[in-house]
Amino acid sequence: MHSNNKHKKSYDFDALIQAYPKLKSFVFTSPLTQQKTIHFDKSDAVFHLNKALLIADYGLTDWRIPKGYLCPPIPGRADYIHHIHDLLEVEKDSENVKGLDVGVGANTIYPILGAQIYDWKMVGCDTSVSAVESAKHNVGLTPELLKKIEIRLQPDPAHIFEGVIKDEETFTFTMCNPPFFGSEEEATRTTKQKLKNLKKSGPAELNFGGQAHELWCNGGEALFIKRMIKQSVVFKSQVHWFTTLVSKQENLSKLKKQLDKLKATHKTIAMEQGNKKSRILAWSFPTVE
Protein backbone atom coordinates (compact mmCIF):
# COMPACT_ATOMS: atom_id res chain seq x y z
CA MET A 1 0.00 0.00 0.00
CA HIS A 2 1.19 3.54 -0.79
CA SER A 3 3.21 5.18 1.98
CA ASN A 4 0.81 8.15 2.11
CA ASN A 5 -2.28 5.99 2.44
CA LYS A 6 -4.08 6.52 5.75
CA HIS A 7 -5.21 2.91 5.77
CA LYS A 8 -1.83 1.15 5.97
CA LYS A 9 -2.59 0.12 9.55
CA SER A 10 -5.55 -1.79 10.93
CA TYR A 11 -8.89 -0.02 11.13
CA ASP A 12 -9.50 1.92 14.35
CA PHE A 13 -13.07 0.73 14.84
CA ASP A 14 -13.56 2.73 18.03
CA ALA A 15 -12.76 5.98 16.22
CA LEU A 16 -14.87 4.98 13.23
CA ILE A 17 -17.86 4.18 15.43
CA GLN A 18 -17.47 7.50 17.21
CA ALA A 19 -17.60 9.29 13.85
CA TYR A 20 -20.40 7.09 12.50
CA PRO A 21 -22.30 5.26 15.29
CA LYS A 22 -24.35 3.09 12.92
CA LEU A 23 -21.22 1.06 12.16
CA LYS A 24 -21.30 -0.37 15.69
CA SER A 25 -23.95 -2.98 14.91
CA PHE A 26 -21.69 -4.50 12.23
CA VAL A 27 -18.52 -4.73 14.35
CA PHE A 28 -17.64 -7.81 16.40
CA THR A 29 -14.58 -9.30 18.08
CA SER A 30 -13.01 -12.14 16.10
CA PRO A 31 -12.62 -15.29 18.23
CA LEU A 32 -9.42 -16.10 16.32
CA THR A 33 -7.56 -12.79 16.57
CA GLN A 34 -9.43 -11.19 19.50
CA GLN A 35 -9.54 -8.02 17.41
CA LYS A 36 -12.53 -6.01 16.23
CA THR A 37 -13.61 -6.59 12.65
CA ILE A 38 -16.67 -6.89 10.39
CA HIS A 39 -17.99 -9.60 8.09
CA PHE A 40 -16.24 -8.56 4.89
CA ASP A 41 -18.37 -11.01 2.89
CA LYS A 42 -21.53 -9.02 3.72
CA SER A 43 -22.36 -6.07 1.48
CA ASP A 44 -24.17 -4.10 4.21
CA ALA A 45 -21.18 -4.33 6.55
CA VAL A 46 -18.76 -3.27 3.78
CA PHE A 47 -20.97 -0.30 2.87
CA HIS A 48 -21.18 0.99 6.43
CA LEU A 49 -17.43 0.56 6.97
CA ASN A 50 -16.71 2.60 3.84
CA LYS A 51 -19.19 5.26 4.88
CA ALA A 52 -17.52 5.50 8.29
CA LEU A 53 -14.09 5.88 6.63
CA LEU A 54 -15.33 8.67 4.37
CA ILE A 55 -16.88 10.55 7.28
CA ALA A 56 -14.04 9.99 9.76
CA ASP A 57 -11.00 10.29 7.45
CA TYR A 58 -12.14 12.40 4.51
CA GLY A 59 -14.53 14.92 6.05
CA LEU A 60 -17.76 13.89 4.34
CA THR A 61 -21.09 14.84 5.85
CA ASP A 62 -22.87 11.84 4.38
CA TRP A 63 -22.48 9.27 1.57
CA ARG A 64 -25.06 7.03 -0.03
CA ILE A 65 -25.33 4.59 -2.91
CA PRO A 66 -28.44 2.86 -4.26
CA LYS A 67 -28.78 -0.78 -3.30
CA GLY A 68 -26.94 -3.03 -5.73
CA TYR A 69 -24.45 -0.44 -6.96
CA LEU A 70 -20.70 -0.87 -6.60
CA CYS A 71 -19.43 -0.19 -3.07
CA PRO A 72 -15.67 0.21 -3.47
CA PRO A 73 -13.10 -0.51 -0.74
CA ILE A 74 -11.73 2.91 0.21
CA PRO A 75 -8.06 1.94 0.89
CA GLY A 76 -7.49 0.60 -2.63
CA ARG A 77 -9.21 3.57 -4.25
CA ALA A 78 -7.10 5.98 -2.19
CA ASP A 79 -3.98 4.18 -3.42
CA TYR A 80 -4.81 5.01 -7.04
CA ILE A 81 -5.18 8.70 -6.11
CA HIS A 82 -1.83 8.75 -4.27
CA HIS A 83 -0.02 7.11 -7.20
CA ILE A 84 -1.46 9.65 -9.63
CA HIS A 85 -0.17 12.39 -7.32
CA ASP A 86 3.31 10.83 -7.54
CA LEU A 87 3.04 10.69 -11.33
CA LEU A 88 2.19 14.39 -11.48
CA GLU A 89 4.94 15.32 -9.00
CA VAL A 90 7.52 13.67 -11.27
CA GLU A 91 6.26 15.82 -14.12
CA LYS A 92 6.25 19.00 -11.98
CA ASP A 93 2.58 19.36 -12.78
CA SER A 94 0.92 19.08 -9.37
CA GLU A 95 -0.61 22.56 -9.14
CA ASN A 96 -4.07 23.44 -10.45
CA VAL A 97 -4.79 19.79 -11.12
CA LYS A 98 -7.99 18.78 -12.89
CA GLY A 99 -8.87 15.10 -13.24
CA LEU A 100 -11.50 13.12 -15.12
CA ASP A 101 -12.87 9.87 -13.72
CA VAL A 102 -14.25 7.70 -16.53
CA GLY A 103 -17.10 5.55 -15.18
CA VAL A 104 -17.62 7.42 -11.94
CA GLY A 105 -20.52 5.23 -10.83
CA ALA A 106 -23.07 6.07 -8.18
CA ASN A 107 -20.41 5.97 -5.45
CA THR A 108 -18.41 8.97 -6.80
CA ILE A 109 -15.43 7.67 -4.88
CA TYR A 110 -12.46 8.78 -7.00
CA PRO A 111 -13.62 12.40 -7.40
CA ILE A 112 -14.36 12.55 -3.66
CA LEU A 113 -10.91 11.24 -2.71
CA GLY A 114 -9.10 13.41 -5.26
CA ALA A 115 -10.91 16.49 -3.98
CA GLN A 116 -10.51 15.72 -0.28
CA ILE A 117 -6.95 14.38 -0.24
CA TYR A 118 -5.24 16.77 -2.69
CA ASP A 119 -7.84 19.50 -3.27
CA TRP A 120 -8.02 18.65 -6.98
CA LYS A 121 -10.80 19.77 -9.29
CA MET A 122 -12.54 16.62 -10.50
CA VAL A 123 -15.04 15.67 -13.20
CA GLY A 124 -16.80 12.31 -13.12
CA CYS A 125 -18.68 10.85 -16.07
CA ASP A 126 -20.87 7.81 -16.62
CA THR A 127 -23.14 6.32 -19.27
CA SER A 128 -25.82 5.44 -16.69
CA VAL A 129 -28.42 8.14 -16.00
CA SER A 130 -29.21 6.68 -12.57
CA ALA A 131 -25.50 6.53 -11.64
CA VAL A 132 -25.04 10.17 -12.68
CA GLU A 133 -28.06 11.25 -10.63
CA SER A 134 -26.77 9.37 -7.57
CA ALA A 135 -23.26 10.77 -8.04
CA LYS A 136 -24.62 14.32 -8.17
CA HIS A 137 -26.62 13.63 -5.03
CA ASN A 138 -23.49 12.36 -3.26
CA VAL A 139 -21.60 15.53 -4.17
CA GLY A 140 -24.43 17.65 -2.81
CA LEU A 141 -24.47 15.83 0.54
CA THR A 142 -21.16 17.51 1.44
CA PRO A 143 -21.53 21.16 0.31
CA GLU A 144 -17.78 21.86 0.00
CA LEU A 145 -17.57 19.21 -2.73
CA LEU A 146 -19.84 21.28 -4.98
CA LYS A 147 -16.92 23.65 -5.62
CA LYS A 148 -14.56 20.83 -6.57
CA ILE A 149 -16.56 18.13 -8.36
CA GLU A 150 -18.69 18.16 -11.51
CA ILE A 151 -20.63 15.12 -12.74
CA ARG A 152 -21.42 14.64 -16.44
CA LEU A 153 -23.46 12.14 -18.42
CA GLN A 154 -21.72 10.33 -21.28
CA PRO A 155 -24.62 10.23 -23.77
CA ASP A 156 -23.05 7.65 -26.11
CA PRO A 157 -21.68 4.39 -24.63
CA ALA A 158 -19.55 3.93 -27.75
CA HIS A 159 -17.47 6.96 -26.77
CA ILE A 160 -15.22 7.34 -23.74
CA PHE A 161 -13.94 10.93 -23.98
CA GLU A 162 -15.95 12.43 -26.83
CA GLY A 163 -19.12 14.06 -25.51
CA VAL A 164 -17.54 14.55 -22.07
CA ILE A 165 -14.37 16.57 -22.67
CA LYS A 166 -15.45 19.96 -23.96
CA ASP A 167 -13.80 21.92 -26.78
CA GLU A 168 -10.64 23.65 -25.54
CA GLU A 169 -11.01 22.01 -22.10
CA THR A 170 -7.84 20.50 -20.64
CA PHE A 171 -7.27 17.86 -17.98
CA THR A 172 -4.13 17.05 -16.03
CA PHE A 173 -5.11 13.38 -16.00
CA THR A 174 -7.88 10.89 -16.63
CA MET A 175 -8.46 7.77 -14.56
CA CYS A 176 -10.59 4.68 -14.91
CA ASN A 177 -11.47 1.45 -13.14
CA PRO A 178 -12.69 -0.47 -16.20
CA PRO A 179 -15.25 -3.28 -16.20
CA PHE A 180 -13.30 -6.36 -15.14
CA PHE A 181 -15.38 -9.24 -16.49
CA GLY A 182 -16.34 -10.16 -20.04
CA SER A 183 -19.84 -11.38 -19.14
CA GLU A 184 -22.35 -11.71 -16.31
CA GLU A 185 -21.67 -15.45 -16.23
CA GLU A 186 -17.96 -14.84 -15.64
CA ALA A 187 -18.72 -12.42 -12.80
CA THR A 188 -21.10 -14.88 -11.13
CA ARG A 189 -18.69 -17.81 -11.53
CA THR A 190 -15.83 -15.81 -10.01
CA THR A 191 -18.02 -14.73 -7.08
CA LYS A 192 -19.06 -18.31 -6.33
CA GLN A 193 -15.40 -19.36 -6.27
CA LYS A 194 -14.59 -16.44 -3.98
CA LEU A 195 -17.30 -17.45 -1.53
CA LYS A 196 -16.15 -21.06 -1.68
CA ASN A 197 -12.65 -19.94 -0.77
CA LEU A 198 -14.13 -18.05 2.18
CA LYS A 199 -15.91 -21.31 3.15
CA LYS A 200 -19.29 -19.65 2.85
CA SER A 201 -22.47 -21.24 1.53
CA GLY A 202 -25.59 -19.80 -0.07
CA PRO A 203 -26.27 -17.73 -3.17
CA ALA A 204 -23.45 -15.81 -4.79
CA GLU A 205 -23.31 -12.26 -3.48
CA LEU A 206 -20.80 -9.63 -4.54
CA ASN A 207 -19.86 -8.12 -1.20
CA PHE A 208 -19.02 -4.88 -2.99
CA GLY A 209 -22.17 -4.93 -5.16
CA GLY A 210 -22.17 -3.69 -8.72
CA GLN A 211 -24.41 -3.03 -11.71
CA ALA A 212 -23.87 -4.69 -15.08
CA HIS A 213 -22.08 -1.70 -16.66
CA GLU A 214 -19.79 -1.46 -13.63
CA LEU A 215 -18.65 -5.09 -13.64
CA TRP A 216 -18.64 -6.43 -17.18
CA CYS A 217 -18.62 -5.50 -20.86
CA ASN A 218 -18.12 -7.42 -24.10
CA GLY A 219 -14.45 -8.31 -24.32
CA GLY A 220 -13.88 -7.47 -20.67
CA GLU A 221 -11.06 -5.28 -19.39
CA ALA A 222 -8.65 -5.72 -22.31
CA LEU A 223 -11.04 -4.66 -25.06
CA PHE A 224 -12.33 -1.71 -23.04
CA ILE A 225 -8.82 -0.36 -22.43
CA LYS A 226 -7.80 -0.92 -26.06
CA ARG A 227 -10.80 1.19 -27.08
CA MET A 228 -9.81 3.84 -24.54
CA ILE A 229 -6.26 4.00 -25.87
CA LYS A 230 -7.48 4.32 -29.46
CA GLN A 231 -9.88 7.13 -28.55
CA SER A 232 -7.33 8.94 -26.40
CA VAL A 233 -5.35 9.94 -29.50
CA VAL A 234 -8.05 12.46 -30.46
CA PHE A 235 -7.62 14.21 -27.10
CA LYS A 236 -3.84 14.00 -26.80
CA SER A 237 -3.48 17.80 -26.77
CA GLN A 238 -6.15 18.22 -24.07
CA VAL A 239 -5.00 15.59 -21.56
CA HIS A 240 -1.53 15.38 -20.03
CA TRP A 241 -1.76 11.83 -18.64
CA PHE A 242 -4.29 9.13 -19.44
CA THR A 243 -4.42 6.38 -16.80
CA THR A 244 -6.38 3.22 -16.10
CA LEU A 245 -6.26 0.29 -13.73
CA VAL A 246 -5.23 -3.02 -15.29
CA SER A 247 -6.27 -5.90 -13.05
CA LYS A 248 -5.01 -8.73 -15.25
CA GLN A 249 -1.24 -8.88 -15.71
CA GLU A 250 -1.60 -10.83 -18.96
CA ASN A 251 -3.35 -7.87 -20.62
CA LEU A 252 -0.39 -5.53 -20.23
CA SER A 253 1.82 -6.69 -23.11
CA LYS A 254 -0.78 -6.16 -25.84
CA LEU A 255 -1.81 -2.80 -24.38
CA LYS A 256 1.82 -1.62 -24.33
CA LYS A 257 2.25 -2.81 -27.90
CA GLN A 258 -0.74 -0.71 -28.94
CA LEU A 259 0.73 2.34 -27.17
CA ASP A 260 4.10 1.80 -28.86
CA LYS A 261 2.39 1.79 -32.26
CA LEU A 262 0.79 5.13 -31.39
CA LYS A 263 4.20 6.50 -30.27
CA ALA A 264 2.89 7.21 -26.79
CA THR A 265 5.08 7.51 -23.71
CA HIS A 266 3.86 4.99 -21.13
CA LYS A 267 4.68 3.56 -17.73
CA THR A 268 3.26 0.90 -15.43
CA ILE A 269 2.82 1.55 -11.72
CA ALA A 270 2.48 -1.48 -9.43
CA MET A 271 -0.12 -1.45 -6.65
CA GLU A 272 -0.57 -3.91 -3.80
CA GLN A 273 -3.18 -4.06 -1.06
CA GLY A 274 -2.69 -7.12 1.09
CA ASN A 275 -2.76 -10.16 -1.20
CA LYS A 276 -4.33 -8.22 -4.05
CA LYS A 277 -2.03 -7.05 -6.83
CA SER A 278 -2.99 -4.60 -9.54
CA ARG A 279 -1.34 -1.95 -11.65
CA ILE A 280 -1.91 1.45 -13.22
CA LEU A 281 -1.13 1.92 -16.90
CA ALA A 282 -0.35 5.58 -17.65
CA TRP A 283 0.34 7.07 -21.07
CA SER A 284 0.97 10.44 -22.60
CA PHE A 285 1.63 11.78 -26.08
CA PRO A 286 4.77 13.86 -26.69
CA THR A 287 4.07 17.43 -27.65
CA VAL A 288 5.35 18.66 -30.96
CA GLU A 289 7.05 22.03 -30.66
Side-chain angles (χ1 to χ4, degrees):
M1 196 169 288
H2 194 281
S3 59
N4 291 337
N5 198 319
K6 291 182 178 182
H7 313 294
K8 295 192 301 294
K9 299 179 181 179
S10 301
Y11 296 121
D12 185 343
F13 282 103
D14 291 334
L16 292 173
I17 290 169
Q18 186 174 359
Y20 178 58
K22 195 169 182 179
L23 177 64
K24 185 175 182 179
S25 61
F26 297 92
V27 175
F28 66 97
T29 300
S30 167
L32 295 176
T33 65
Q34 296 302 309
Q35 294 181 334
K36 291 181 179 179
T37 187
I38 64 165
H39 289 292
F40 283 95
D41 58 316
K42 301 297 183 184
S43 57
D44 281 353
V46 172
F47 166 74
H48 287 289
L49 171 60
N50 284 324
K51 185 170 181 175
L53 290 169
L54 288 170
I55 292 172
D57 293 336
Y58 298 104
L60 265 62
T61 303
D62 197 0
W63 181 71
R64 304 172 190 176
I65 52 174
K67 191 170 181 61
Y69 271 83
L70 190 65
C71 182
I74 304 301
R77 299 314 195 253
D79 247 28
Y80 192 172
I81 294 293
H82 288 302
H83 282 294
I84 286 181
H85 178 262
D86 289 350
L87 179 69
L88 304 184
E89 281 286 299
V90 168
E91 296 298 317
K92 307 296 183 185
D93 190 22
S94 59
E95 294 183 2
N96 302 314
V97 170
K98 184 178 182 182
L100 171 64
D101 177 21
V102 174
V104 65
N107 58 68
T108 339
I109 196 63
Y110 286 125
I112 287 172
L113 293 176
Q116 296 301 84
I117 297 173
Y118 290 114
D119 201 31
W120 292 340
K121 300 291 184 184
M122 297 292 298
V123 174
C125 69
D126 207 287
T127 59
S128 165
V129 173
S130 60
V132 165
E133 290 175 350
S134 296
K136 288 181 177 179
H137 182 66
N138 258 331
V139 173
L141 290 172
T142 302
E144 69 179 88
L145 294 179
L146 291 168
K147 300 176 183 178
K148 304 176 184 178
I149 299 174
E150 180 184 352
I151 305 298
R152 301 176 186 173
L153 176 69
Q154 169 53 274
D156 187 346
H159 296 309
I160 295 176
F161 304 111
E162 184 179 339
V164 172
I165 298 179
K166 301 174 183 178
D167 293 344
E168 309 302 323
E169 184 177 29
T170 59
F171 285 90
T172 317
F173 69 89
T174 69
M175 64 189 306
C176 182
N177 185 9
F180 182 79
F181 301 108
S183 67
E184 181 176 5
E185 293 73 21
E186 183 186 354
T188 302
R189 184 172 63 250
T190 302
T191 301
K192 287 181 178 178
Q193 183 61 49
K194 175 183 175 182
L195 292 176
K196 183 179 179 181
N197 292 342
L198 290 170
K199 299 182 179 178
K200 301 290 180 183
S201 60
E205 176 194 4
L206 285 166
N207 64 333
F208 47 83
Q211 297 292 295
H213 72 282
E214 296 178 301
L215 298 176
W216 61 84
C217 67
N218 291 334
E221 175 184 83
L223 192 60
F224 185 90
I225 297 174
K226 286 183 75 175
R227 187 158 58 94
M228 181 187 294
I229 291 171
K230 182 178 180 181
Q231 295 185 19
S232 71
V233 177
V234 179
F235 296 90
K236 62 183 180 181
S237 65
Q238 292 177 261
V239 177
H240 188 181
W241 279 107
F242 299 90
T243 78
T244 182
L245 290 179
V246 182
S247 296
K248 298 180 179 180
Q249 173 74 32
E250 60 267 26
N251 289 335
L252 267 181
S253 59
K254 50 192 169 185
L255 295 173
K256 289 180 177 180
K257 187 176 295 185
Q258 184 184 8
L259 288 167
D260 287 336
K261 285 182 179 179
L262 295 171
K263 294 180 169 48
T265 299
H266 58 85
K267 58 180 67 178
T268 305
I269 302 165
M271 293 203 307
E272 290 188 33
Q273 294 98 41
N275 294 324
K276 182 181 178 182
K277 293 184 178 181
S278 185
R279 63 235 19 106
I280 300 166
L281 179 62
W283 69 97
S284 185
F285 296 93
T287 56
V288 179
E289 302 260 340

